[in-house]
Amino acid sequence: AVPPPGFEPPPDWRDTRKDLQARIDIANLAGADVFLSIHNNGSPNPGERGTEVWWDGRRPFAAYNRALAALVLEELLRHIRAAGYPTISRGLKEDTTFRVWQGRAFPIFVLGPPRTGAVTTRATQMPAALGESLFLSNPAEAAQLAREEVLDAIASGYHAALTRYFRLIEDSVLTLPPEGLPPESPNHDDILGFPPR
């Protein structure tokens, strides 16, 4: 596929892609059990606020992605609220709807399937989720992110979610992904139309 006519990627776009791919490759080489991408959100609308978590349903371990994301959302909300900020839940977000352009959906780089075409990428070989704790572009939430109690709450939320996730595996509520999963299908619809995330 080709970029849309007149598309000029930002100067750091390719470097960002390389950095994100390196993070995926490091996790794969380490044989990590999960890939958790930790962020704070941003929007051109300074009124947007809240906590959301993204996951991808097109991977062989989609149920694991969703379970991890649900636990992360629940624990972030609980811990941030306990720290004194009444964050709202923006919910679980399935990343096939992350960006839609000309009727095609584009996933979050670190969550989506591998891609071939104009740019070839490798996907994580383990369940993954991406958390957006609060909005840096919202003045009230940016102020909260300057509070040590809120930063500690966010870290504790991620820790609690991971602890609960691995407990589900230990208790066989979630079994480890079996050997011989079918290979992932490359996303041939990937284009260079959007900067990665």
Side-chain angles (χ1 to χ4, degrees):
V2 297
F7 173 75
E8 288 295 325
D12 64 345
W13 186 68
R14 283 183 174 70
D15 290 340
T16 300
R17 260 191 193 260
K18 287 179 187 174
D19 178 65
L20 294 174
Q21 185 63 67
R23 295 177 198 189
I24 291 168
D25 293 343
I26 289 167
N28 288 344
L29 286 170
D33 294 313
V34 298
F35 186 97
L36 187 55
S37 195
I38 299 172
H39 300 263
N40 286 300
N41 222 334
S43 170
N45 175 0
E48 282 200 75
R49 66 186 201 95
T51 304
E52 65 190 30
V53 180
W54 293 82
W55 64 287
D56 190 293
R58 294 167 300 164
R59 307 289 298 287
F61 27 74
Y64 295 80
N65 295 335
R66 189 178 195 295
L68 176 62
L71 292 170
V72 169
L73 180 62
E74 184 179 323
E75 293 296 342
L76 283 176
L77 292 169
R78 185 168 72 85
H79 282 79
I80 294 169
R81 289 170 180 164
Y85 178 66
T87 187
I88 62 168
S89 176
R90 294 172 56 90
L92 290 179
K93 310 281 185 163
E94 210 284 332
D95 100 323
T96 55
T97 61
F98 177 62
R99 287 195 175 110
V100 178
W101 185 69
Q102 294 187 343
R104 295 192 332 213
F106 300 88
I108 295 174
F109 190 95
V110 297
L111 298 182
R115 300 169 188 109
T116 60
V119 175
T120 300
T121 65
R122 296 166 297 282
T124 62
Q125 297 169 357
M126 71 285 298
L130 183 146
E132 297 278 12
S133 305
L134 297 172
F135 275 79
L136 285 166
S137 53
N138 178 303
E141 292 202 342
Q144 291 299 316
L145 287 165
R147 292 180 53 221
E148 195 70 32
E149 299 88 353
V150 171
L151 295 177
D152 287 345
I154 291 168
S156 295
Y158 282 113
H159 179 265
L162 287 169
T163 299
R164 288 180 62 197
Y165 174 81
F166 288 116
R167 194 168 297 129
L168 290 175
I169 291 172
E170 288 171 11
D171 295 344
S172 298
V173 174
L174 286 176
T175 57
L176 288 173
E179 295 294 322
L181 287 172
E184 299 184 67
S185 301
N187 177 3
H188 294 282
D189 292 331
D190 185 42
I191 64 167
L192 300 178
F194 294 103
R197 175 144 177 193

